[in-house]
């Protein structure tokens, strides 16, 4: 069965976006700093290499509707996913097909069905949860996530969208199994299991 | 000049203690989990080895009054510091001398004087800030900290005493230089410098 992997960039105080998130401020105040490790001072070739590494072994992706709304234009004609992307939404929409194996499939039957379809589509690969934080939190809380890959940027935001909440604490146990660092982020991989 | 090192255990959502901290609940609700990496399932000999590693190269220590009030009895007759401990307080008190080189020196002339005295006392060693979070935040904000050693426990507390606040964000820049992990904590070392 495909594993479900959650990958998130987070601040040192636990936020995946700054305050005042909106169409003009998709990452919130100061939120760009969370993603500098992938984008700041990197050549296009380096960014593409990091994206390839990120999606190596990934057979399908789950994202929330807001992230898709913000991302689909930005991700371009040949997105880095190279896999079907299941968009969890309340508004049904036609599938959008892009070059290189990426398609955006809108699922309006809820998170469970979206997860089941993503698992089925992943075949030999794994399922990656691409965010945003709402979907990430919900999937963590339902116990379907097997691995959490956190990229902790060396900044604090003070306010914003938290990754963790009380519901989550009761639902899962995290066990760090790997940690590496570079100047703009520390990468920690956690095994996720249901709380005893 | 001695370097000033801040060592803190923290949750994944940035808290150094849980909510409702008080005399009967010194670490707040759930806060013990932040220190499990040092104490849970370890023999007394292992704990002593970790403490020796923690204080290797440390010439003096700074702690807040509340931490001293809670800790002095607990730390025992031959505390792991083996160095003078400067307690920042509003209430002057007589120095307390313990075996093995530890003494508790109460400084009521403010944080700057306490830091100067700790630097002087450290001689060839470094100065360690032992906490709590209030002292840690204040010293980070004043720019005297050279290195931050964070132990991130794989738990979220939801509420509690945050290590970081807005003042801090403006004052310092953190650069991670080392990361290792074990099941109950990920250890990250940051170089701390004044924000550009």
């Amino acid at each position: 069965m495909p594993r479900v992997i959650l990958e998130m960039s987070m601040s040192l105080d636990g936020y995946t976006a700054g305050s005042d998130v909106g169409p003009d401020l998709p990452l919130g105040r100061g939120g760009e700093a969370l993603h500098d490790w992938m984008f700041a001072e990197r050549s296009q070739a380096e960014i593409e290499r990091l994206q390839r590494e990120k999606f190596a072994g990934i057979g399908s992706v789950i994202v929330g509707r807001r992230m898709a709304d913000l991302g689909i234009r930005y991700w371009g004609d040949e997105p880095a996913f190279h896999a079907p992307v299941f968009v969890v939404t309340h508004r049904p929409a036609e599938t959008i097909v892009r070059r290189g194996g990426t398609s955006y499939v809108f699922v309006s039957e809820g998170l469970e069905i979206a997860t089941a379809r993503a698992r089925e589509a992943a075949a030999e690969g794994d399922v990656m949860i691409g965010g945003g934080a709402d979907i990430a939190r919900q999937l963590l809380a339902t116990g379907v996530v097997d691995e959490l890959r956190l990229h902790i940027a060396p900044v604090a935001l003070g306010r914003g969208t938290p990754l963790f909440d009380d519901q989550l604490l009761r639902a899962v146990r995290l066990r760090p199994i790997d940690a590496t660092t570079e100047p703009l982020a520390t990468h920690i991989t956690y095994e996720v299991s249901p709380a005893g």
Side-chain angles (χ1 to χ4, degrees), chain A:
Chain A
M1 187 145 109
R3 294 184 315 146
V4 177
I5 297 167
L6 170 58
E7 164 134 14
M8 295 297 278
S9 292
M10 192 180 85
S11 68
L12 263 173
D13 47 354
Y15 297 107
T16 58
S19 58
D20 303 324
V21 166
D24 296 336
L25 204 62
L27 303 171
R29 294 193 191 286
E32 323 77 45
L34 305 182
H35 303 272
D36 277 352
W37 66 274
M38 184 167 276
F39 297 108
E41 298 167 32
R42 297 221 190 250
S43 67
Q44 191 58 32
E46 280 181 306
I47 292 171
E48 284 171 10
R49 178 182 58 77
L50 285 170
Q51 295 273 0
R52 271 198 306 277
E53 284 175 13
K54 175 173 168 173
F55 291 109
I58 298 301
S60 68
V61 179
I62 302 174
V63 300
R65 177 66 194 233
R66 194 169 65 189
M67 169 153 278
D69 281 347
L70 294 167
I72 284 176
R73 185 178 306 171
Y74 170 76
W75 293 324
D77 290 337
E78 188 170 344
F81 303 111
H82 303 293
V85 177
F86 293 88
V87 181
V88 182
T89 177
H90 294 291
R91 292 168 283 158
E94 295 274 316
T95 294
I96 299 170
V97 177
R98 295 289 197 235
R99 282 206 295 271
T102 298
S103 57
Y104 301 108
V105 182
F106 297 84
V107 182
S108 56
E109 295 92 345
L111 209 51
E112 207 172 324
I113 298 290
T115 308
R117 292 187 61 185
R119 280 189 200 274
E120 196 182 318
E124 301 294 296
D126 288 324
V127 177
M128 174 167 287
I129 304 164
D134 282 349
I135 289 287
R137 263 202 306 266
Q138 288 175 52
L139 285 166
L140 268 175
T142 58
V144 303
V145 177
D146 298 298
E147 185 173 299
L148 169 63
R149 297 180 188 166
L150 272 189
H151 312 287
I152 302 186
V155 298
L157 296 179
R159 291 182 302 149
T161 310
L163 177 55
F164 301 103
D165 64 19
D166 287 354
Q167 191 183 5
L168 223 50
L169 318 186
R170 289 190 296 269
V172 298
R173 203 168 69 92
L174 302 178
R175 186 174 185 276
I177 54 172
D178 188 58
T180 61
T181 198
E182 54 178 323
L184 297 178
T186 303
H187 312 287
I188 311 179
T189 302
Y190 294 89
E191 279 179 1
V192 184
S193 56

